[in-house]
Amino acid sequence: MKLPEDGTILLSFVNTKLRDEYGSLAEFCENAEISCADLQERLRALGYVYDERANRFI
């Protein structure tokens, strides 16, 4: 899966997928064939962290 390059759009895209289609970040990353660590680092650089309980980046 090709992820958006823009950080704001990426955040919105991932959170929407997590809310609507996936029960966890690991499930999303597996299906999208991407590294969870890389995705988390990319969003952490923008000030967002994954909240497992909420299943979203905040």
Side-chain angles (χ1 to χ4, degrees):
M1 172 182 302
K2 175 113 169 79
L3 296 178
E5 294 295 323
D6 180 87
T8 303
I9 295 172
L10 175 63
L11 174 68
S12 178
F13 175 80
V14 171
N15 276 342
T16 298
K17 289 287 190 181
L18 291 171
R19 181 191 70 219
D20 295 346
E21 299 176 32
Y22 298 98
S24 70
L25 180 61
E27 184 183 343
F28 168 74
C29 290
E30 182 178 332
N31 187 280
E33 298 179 345
I34 59 173
S35 163
C36 282
D38 290 347
L39 177 60
Q40 287 180 295
E41 183 56 39
R42 192 167 160 198
L43 289 172
R44 186 173 331 172
L46 300 170
Y48 299 98
V49 294
Y50 179 66
D51 180 328
E52 190 173 342
R53 238 180 57 165
N55 191 34
R56 65 184 295 233
F57 284 87
I58 55 172

